[in-house]
Amino acid sequence: MGIKGHLNDTVHVTNLEWFVNWARKSSMWPLGFGLACCALEMIAAFVSRYDLARFGMEVARPSPRHADLMIVSGTASKKMLPAILRIYEQMAEPRWVIAMGACACTGGIYKNYAVVQGIDRHLPVDVYVPGCPPRPEALLDGILQLHAKVMKEQSISNPRITNIKVASR
Amino acid sequence: MNQEEIKEKLLSEFGTDIIQDSGDFRDQISVTVSKEKILDVCRYLKEDPELSFNFLSFVAAVDRLPKTPRFEVVYQVHSLKHNHRFRVKALLDETAEMSASIDSVVPMWPTADWHERETAEMFGITFNNHPDPRKLLLPDGWTVHPLRKDFSLYGTEEDTPDLPA
Amino acid sequence: MSEQVSPKENFSSELLELNLGPHHPSTHGVFRAIVELDGEMVVNVVPHLGYLHRGYEKTCENKHYHQVIPLAERCDYMGASSNSLVYCLTMEMLLDVEVPERAQVVRVMMAELSRIFSHLFWLGTHGHDVGAMTPLFYMLREREEIMNLFELTAGGRLMPNYLRIGGLIQDLEEGFVERLRSFTEHFDRRVDEYETLLTKNAIYMDRTKGIGMLPLEDAIAMGASGPMIRGSGLAWDIRKREPYSGYEQYDFDVPVETGCDVYARYLVRVAEMRQSNRILRQTLDRLPEGPIRAQKPGVIFPPQEDIYTKMESLIHHFMLVVEGLKPPVGEVYQCIESPRGELGCYIISDGGPRPYRLKWRAPAFVNLESLARMSKGYFFADLIAILSSVDIVLAEVDR
């Protein structure tokens, strides 16, 4: 009855925010940002056994200008940190960060002078995926949690601002 | 040649004021030479036909605080022709005015270039006549030497900051 | 190039300094180089390292000897078991411990599986850098099978953490031997598949033959080892010349090529994969029964069953975990043939529970030194092919 009955399930009625969130999470392109050992498990998540392509994410762009999701996989050493921040700055909004692996989450087994004790000290992390290295299934679980988080965002009414302190030149 | 014979050959060539000490553990002998003559000893090790140590495995340093002399530079060499290995060490000390220094062995073994750069920044040792004495692994702004025994593992906010100031 | 321009014209040019990395799809990790270019011709390459410096050697000075093993495995994350093998061999030499036969054979299995694991990834990424995307997906399929095998040993896919000082942590699971046997049976045909893709491929040969020449004297002077030096003509393999862990009992060849170029190193690595498969088949036939860890109370962990049933073993285990083992005062250097070359570990012990000094002789670090020599005079696109033929793992380069 009404307009829905006439259209026979070919039209989906929703609000704009849901639609925008659905579009964002369905083709979130990751930045190919492997730093250390976790990069190998991230690459393993792309292959047919674990298949990231079913989530629309097989397009791993090397350039941050084209990417939406930065998966920091591996240890962030203090020498690399300015480069990480500069790459994050270059990503266009909306952008998300997954801290993959113990080293990105908290510094991991390297509690010393050379390693940043967790990149959440400098970047706004959305999902933490612990493990050393986390299995590809754990990374997929983290990505799905991120998708669920994106679906709940108020992207039109209250968009998130993800600016960081400008990385020093 | 076995380790004893190599040591005897070095002793007979240079004598005990240059070959100052030796250690023997698990069939591996290492000799300590005086740091002023390190280039001569290395040249002999490389060019003598019975020794022909043409491959340098690594150059490393050890901080022996609180013993003096404080630093020990270790050279592990290998002969591809005769298939024997040997270890040579030199002791260095630093003073309030000058950092510990030793001649660079890059003229003998060009591979020592990066090994010596890393050792220099990690310990604060100067390698004389090194072709390219820049930092290798640490960020450019750091002035500390992490592998010294008196440097804390965790670093400090001033010396090893996350981001350059 | 500027010399070809007629001198009448007022034409000036200067070298272009291009920054390559640290974030780059073809640098295999966080590697940065400043490349001086004259047009497209490389004049000089200056690598800037340290973007993955994790303070490995300093951290090891603060850990007990047994706690160093997971740290060591993460140094060369491609072939993790070779790292723990060299560390355990160095410690066993320091402690004068004899490893039982079964553990030695299983260690050889893990080392050769690591070699195949590492060379497969190298093959995929090297093909990807040169423009061939297909080998990447094929080798990831093989790597999944090897990761299944690693999982069966001690649970970790990438870093199995399976070796211990004195032997192994636990015996092989049921099903490991059958799985490994079926792997060795079909792996040779897979290597044939990879060879049909690249070895006689005209594009690949154009891109790699005569590129990145490293003559033998330069290779020895720059300290190159492993496939770098075997691709330049020297048949130097530590498994043959200074055997460890029972390698003298296995029958295998050492592939050598005299081309000195990228193509020669490719041929050496592919042939090494076949030889590793050959060694794996021999280990399966040779696997004896017996204990998997040496017995030396107070130094080596007692067997798991004894900890649960005997009081002294429980106490020894407790003291080892809490206080650490105390080796004699001395220093040793032990090296093995890792997938990249001579991987060495130099430990100085002062009698305490922590290493006084641990020096890791990383082959990728030393092999990378030859990059500048190998790339002068070639085009920039060749630089990528040359860099991938060095087979670097940044965690090992920077430690």
Side-chain angles (χ1 to χ4, degrees), chain B residues 26 28 30 55 57-58 61 63-64 80 83 85 87 89 111 114 118 122 136-137 146 148-149 151, chain C residues 49-50 53 58 61 93-94 221-223 241-242 329 331 333 335 342 356-357 361 366 369 399:
Chain B
R26 302 276 184 258
Q28 291 187 359
S30 60
F55 190 85
S57 284
F58 67 81
D63 182 4
R64 296 161 12 125
L80 289 169
N83 197 17
R85 290 183 187 266
R87 206 176 304 134
K89 303 190 198 186
T111 181
W114 281 12
E118 187 197 341
M122 290 291 172
L136 188 65
L137 297 180
R148 290 191 172 197
K149 294 282 181 195
F151 184 82
Chain C
L49 306 177
H53 176 63
K58 181 90 181 174
E61 288 177 17
M93 189 192 273
L94 186 67
M222 299 308 289
R241 301 234 305 186
E242 295 160 273
V329 176
E331 58 181 51
Y333 176 70
C335 56
E342 177 188 332
Y356 188 72
R357 172 81 168 106
R361 195 267 182 201
V366 187
E369 267 189 279
R399 269 152 294 132

Side-chain angles (χ1 to χ4, degrees), chain A residues 30-35 61-72 79-97 122-124 162 164-169, chain B residues 163, chain C residues 19-25 27 29-31 51:
Chain A
L31 175 67
F33 197 61
L35 293 172
R61 309 300 300 182
S63 164
R65 298 275 188 212
H66 309 171
D68 306 306
L69 169 66
M70 182 156 137
I71 305 182
V72 183
K79 192 166 181 180
M80 184 67 189
L81 187 64
I84 299 177
L85 295 181
R86 200 181 295 189
I87 290 171
Y88 183 73
E89 270 178 354
Q90 292 179 359
M91 286 167 70
E93 295 270 4
R95 54 192 177 186
W96 295 274
V97 176
H122 301 275
L123 285 180
T162 51
I164 55 168
K165 174 172 111 48
V166 171
S168 46
R169 302 276 164 233
Chain B
L163 284 170
Chain C
N19 179 49
L20 183 72
H23 172 65
H24 191 277
T27 54
V30 286
F31 171 70
Y51 288 90

Side-chain angles (χ1 to χ4, degrees), chain A residues 109-110, chain C residues 66-75 159 161 164:
Chain A
I109 51 176
Y110 300 102
Chain C
H66 286 287
Q67 293 173 327
V68 172
I69 295 175
L71 270 171
E73 286 211 329
R74 280 144 180 84
C75 251
M159 325 282 181
N161 201 11
R164 290 289 181 272

